[in-house]
Amino acid sequence: MDADNEAKGKVSGQAMQNPQALAAVQDKIDSGSHNASIMDSLPKSVKRRVNALKNLQVNNTHIEAKFYKEVHELERKYSALYQPLFDKRRNIVSGEVEPTDEECEWQSDHEDEAALAEDLKKKAAIEEKTEDANEEKPKGIPEFWLTIFRSVDMLSDMLQEHDEPILKHLQDIKVIFSGPDQPMSFTLEFHFDPNKYFTNTVLTKVYKMKSEPDAEDPFSFEGPEIIDCEGCEIDWLKGKDVTVKTIKKKQKHKGRGTARVITKQVPNDSFFNFFNPIKVSPDKELDEDSEYTLATDFEIGHFFRERIVPRAVLYFTGEALEDDESGEGEELDEGEEEELDEGEEEVSSLYTF
């Protein structure tokens, strides 16, 4: 017994003096995994202190949860300051407002690097006037949002050819944050011009969020997470519902041997299935495919909120796409390895899925 205690004491001393060993222990604690061999190697008095630290960590997660709730309130406050700018963006896109010459001035990098000679500028101005006289001027910025959908991989994967004529009528996408006395959530509003496909002028998708540590696993808390979403009913005009398709099938009568053709509607791939998400039931577990579909839905909703809506013009021009690609990091050459310091990670957002 004395030999065992002495061995345990040595292991304990090594663990207390070795930073890597301590980091490994902390990692086990954070993940909620209890490695019996490590804990058993610690003296009883040290175990008590570790338990005290874990209780402190639980208190820390509750403070962190309050922090994220205040962040949500700040987002709600500043969204009201952004909105007049987004409203003006919508008016320019739709053609309701024509920006002034001063508002349209923008010096591109290419123009700055290679300034045109004065005579070429004059010639270009004359040609431009001639083209303007002969060209039918479009209203606003045609297909603004549809162009974004086509350009962004996450959205283009959902986009079908039969969706595109409908999305030409999309004039704006808004993010609406829940009020101070409401459960944490945000709503995506898709505003459409009157069209021949459905009678709705606004389609909505609500994402419900949770910013509370789990009572059974408080150390898993990493910030607010989307836990559910609700779509809306689309009032399709007759024969215009692109989320279903009609198929014909021959059906043979068993007794008489005669055949008849029956028609039935089956689900059809479409972006507009986005507004009819999988229902989450607390009493029923989702299968693996449904969990993946729901996780993807949450990711898309978050991407609309964090990237697409605030930076729409940059996705239209493709500049934001270049930023996204450069943010992924350069690919390593074959055989080359990149080592990261332990604990180093890139934080892309305050929110998790």
Side-chain angles (χ1 to χ4, degrees):
M1 288 295 291
D2 291 341
D4 290 342
N5 289 335
E6 184 179 352
K8 288 181 181 179
K10 286 182 179 179
V11 173
S12 173
Q14 291 172 357
M16 293 300 104
Q17 294 174 23
N18 188 331
Q20 291 184 343
L22 284 174
V25 172
Q26 184 61 50
D27 187 57
K28 294 290 185 183
I29 293 173
D30 288 342
S31 64
S33 172
H34 302 284
N35 190 317
S37 62
I38 293 178
M39 293 301 292
D40 289 345
S41 71
L42 299 175
K44 187 175 180 180
S45 59
V46 176
K47 286 182 186 179
R48 291 179 68 255
R49 295 167 194 145
V50 170
N51 288 334
L53 294 184
K54 289 170 73 175
N55 284 322
L56 291 176
Q57 189 65 36
V58 170
N59 293 337
N60 183 79
T61 59
H62 286 287
I63 294 173
E64 189 179 4
K66 291 180 180 179
F67 164 77
Y68 283 116
K69 286 180 179 179
E70 291 195 22
V71 168
H72 184 76
E73 286 303 306
L74 276 175
E75 285 189 302
R76 190 177 63 83
K77 173 185 174 182
Y78 276 87
S79 68
L81 302 178
Y82 293 135
Q83 196 53 54
L85 303 177
F86 294 155
D87 289 342
K88 190 162 188 177
R89 178 179 70 188
R90 172 184 176 160
N91 292 337
I92 292 174
V93 167
S94 66
E96 293 177 25
V97 170
E98 185 63 34
T100 65
D101 290 341
E102 184 180 355
E103 290 173 328
C104 293
E105 286 182 8
W106 185 265
Q107 186 74 20
S108 72
D109 293 337
H110 298 294
E111 290 170 344
D112 194 36
E113 291 171 4
L116 294 171
E118 193 64 32
D119 56 334
L120 291 178
K121 285 185 178 181
K122 290 179 181 178
K123 184 179 178 181
I126 293 170
E127 289 177 353
E128 186 177 349
K129 286 182 180 179
T130 305
E131 288 176 3
D132 287 347
N134 299 330
E135 183 184 79
E136 183 180 341
K137 292 184 179 180
K139 182 181 179 183
I141 305 177
E143 302 183 11
F144 178 80
W145 291 102
L146 176 56
T147 300
I148 295 172
F149 271 69
R150 288 171 176 156
S151 302
V152 178
D153 289 342
M154 189 182 295
L155 304 182
S156 64
D157 288 345
M158 299 191 295
L159 188 64
Q160 304 298 319
E161 188 176 347
H162 48 253
D163 295 325
E164 296 195 6
I166 308 175
L167 288 171
K168 289 181 180 180
H169 296 278
L170 179 59
Q171 290 299 318
D172 197 18
I173 305 176
K174 292 183 178 181
V175 179
I176 309 297
F177 292 94
S178 56
D181 299 324
Q182 298 173 329
M184 186 182 290
S185 69
F186 67 92
T187 302
L188 298 177
E189 292 185 350
F190 294 74
H191 292 252
F192 287 84
D193 278 342
N195 59 78
K196 62 180 181 180
Y197 300 97
F198 46 72
T199 59
N200 312 66
T201 56
V202 181
L203 300 181
T204 60
K205 184 79 170 279
V206 179
Y207 286 91
K208 300 177 182 179
M209 305 178 71
K210 172 187 172 185
S211 185
E212 291 290 343
D214 190 295
E216 296 181 359
D217 187 15
F219 303 133
S220 64
F221 180 73
E222 295 181 351
E225 59 179 333
I226 298 173
I227 56 172
D228 195 8
C229 57
E230 290 181 1
C232 67
E233 185 175 346
I234 302 178
D235 299 321
W236 295 100
L237 295 172
K238 187 176 181 181
K240 299 296 184 180
D241 186 350
V242 295
T243 64
V244 295
K245 61 182 177 181
T246 302
I247 62 171
K248 293 183 179 181
K249 187 177 180 181
K250 282 188 177 181
Q251 189 180 61
K252 192 173 183 179
H253 193 282
K254 291 182 179 179
R256 295 193 294 269
T258 57
R260 63 173 182 170
V261 177
I262 62 171
T263 60
K264 66 175 184 177
Q265 287 189 328
V266 295
N268 193 28
D269 289 338
S270 169
F271 162 73
F272 290 91
N273 289 320
F274 179 71
F275 298 98
N276 185 27
I278 293 173
K279 305 295 183 186
V280 178
S281 173
D283 303 325
K284 185 179 178 182
E285 285 192 12
L286 296 173
D287 58 40
E288 189 174 333
D289 289 343
S290 296
E291 284 185 353
Y292 175 79
T293 301
L294 200 59
T296 302
D297 190 322
F298 292 171
E299 185 178 358
I300 292 168
H302 181 76
F303 195 73
F304 268 117
R305 162 193 167 150
E306 291 291 310
R307 305 288 293 173
I308 298 295
V309 173
R311 310 183 71 203
V313 66
L314 301 182
Y315 281 99
F316 177 80
T317 62
E319 293 164 86
L321 297 173
E322 295 172 5
D323 291 344
D324 288 347
E325 289 171 2
S326 64
E328 292 174 359
E330 297 179 359
E331 293 185 5
L332 299 178
D333 294 332
E334 187 175 353
E336 182 183 358
E337 293 183 359
E338 182 180 17
E339 295 183 0
L340 296 178
D341 293 336
E342 187 173 349
E344 180 181 348
E345 62 180 9
E346 180 182 351
V347 180
S348 60
S349 172
L350 288 173
Y351 296 95
T352 57
F353 306 106

